[in-house]
Amino acid sequence: GAKALIGQTISDRYKIERLLGEGGMGAVYQVEHTLMRKRMAIKVLHPEMTRLPEVVARFEREAMAAAHIDHPHVVTATDFGKLDDGSFFLALEFVEGKSLREVIAQGPLELGRALHIGRQMAGALQRAHALKIVHRDLKPENVFLVNGTETRELDFGIAKVLGRADMTAMTSLTSTGALIGTPVYMAPEQLFGDVDVD
């Protein structure tokens, strides 16, 4: 399972210290970059997911999107690679804090704080949209709060990349009519699946 990687060093430089979370497609770990002595996060696809070309392509697209957006409110991707067992990994900036979902569960946000968080999220999306990247899965679980107010947007795994010549191979992974995302947070055109999300 996911815990089997704890204590191992992957790609000759990332020592896995602890499991942060696990989902159906992969697991996220806290790691130390052994050469720089820097704490980072690593997302690793489950080995069985690597047999699904669309999942691997989405993971590659997430890496490319996170590496190109370069915005203070988007988690930065710094490395991408393949492990000996065939699974892929994505090295990310380590973010310590709480998800917006956890914060909302504690009760309503004060208006000024909510507006501050909203402005940061909008700024990150504006930067992504300028690069013709549409997130498609923006929800409280994918927004992390650092120090209670500073946001980092996570998980561009189902982003739609509309531009950049070096990303064109990543633009057509979802067939027309396919429903992908979290229904309660989808735009109507995304929910109906019959119009391109822009």
Side-chain angles (χ1 to χ4, degrees), residues 66-165:
H68 283 88
I69 292 173
D70 192 25
H71 188 275
H73 299 297
V74 175
V75 169
T76 305
T78 57
D79 197 4
F80 178 76
K82 195 171 186 179
L83 303 180
D84 293 339
D85 67 0
S87 42
F88 290 85
F89 73 88
L90 174 60
L92 300 157
E93 162 192 7
F94 180 81
V95 179
E96 197 161 19
K98 292 182 177 179
S99 73
L100 184 55
R101 166 67 64 218
E102 293 173 275
V103 173
I104 291 170
Q106 296 170 357
L109 297 179
E110 183 271 324
L111 180 60
R113 184 181 184 199
L115 290 171
H116 180 67
I117 291 167
R119 276 193 288 271
Q120 292 174 74
M121 291 169 61
L125 290 175
Q126 182 179 26
R127 173 65 182 150
H129 293 172
L131 296 171
K132 299 196 182 302
I133 298 170
V134 182
H135 192 291
R136 296 199 301 183
D137 200 27
L138 189 61
K139 57 187 177 182
E141 292 84 349
N142 285 340
V143 176
F144 234 66
L145 297 182
V146 182
N147 300 323
T149 57
E150 297 304 306
T151 67
R152 296 291 188 282
E153 290 178 25
L154 308 167
D155 200 348
F156 278 78
I158 68 165
K160 184 165 188 171
V161 182
L162 304 170
R164 293 188 64 96

